[in-house]
Amino acid sequence: MYEYKFVRVELKGFIENKPVENYQEIIHDHARQGWRLFQIFAPSTQGFGTANHFDLIFERAI
């Protein structure tokens, strides 16, 4: 059995959205805690069909 954790990373910018936080460091921090990056998901879109955030989905065995 696994447990999952979702971490939202906001994007900013008009034409070229860039992460507000260092997503690579978030992934490394979670890996040190035993989490494995499972998926990156961009669920919402704004005016021009671009995402305004993405979710890092982590999993680890219970």
Side-chain angles (χ1 to χ4, degrees):
M1 181 171 261
Y2 294 92
E3 65 177 323
Y4 294 89
K5 182 175 184 180
F6 300 82
V7 177
R8 179 174 287 199
V9 177
E10 299 293 333
L11 301 172
K12 70 174 182 175
F14 181 68
I15 295 174
E16 190 176 321
N17 286 345
K18 295 185 179 185
V20 174
E21 300 175 73
N22 184 342
Y23 65 90
Q24 293 175 346
E25 190 58 37
I26 294 171
I27 294 169
H28 287 297
D29 287 344
H30 281 77
R32 285 189 282 272
Q33 298 172 31
W35 292 95
R36 179 178 80 93
L37 179 63
F38 180 73
Q39 184 176 7
I40 299 173
F41 180 66
S44 13
T45 58
Q46 53 190 22
F48 294 103
T50 59
N52 61 7
H53 75 275
F54 60 86
D55 292 323
L56 301 174
I57 305 171
F58 297 92
E59 76 172 1
R60 69 177 172 189
I62 296 178

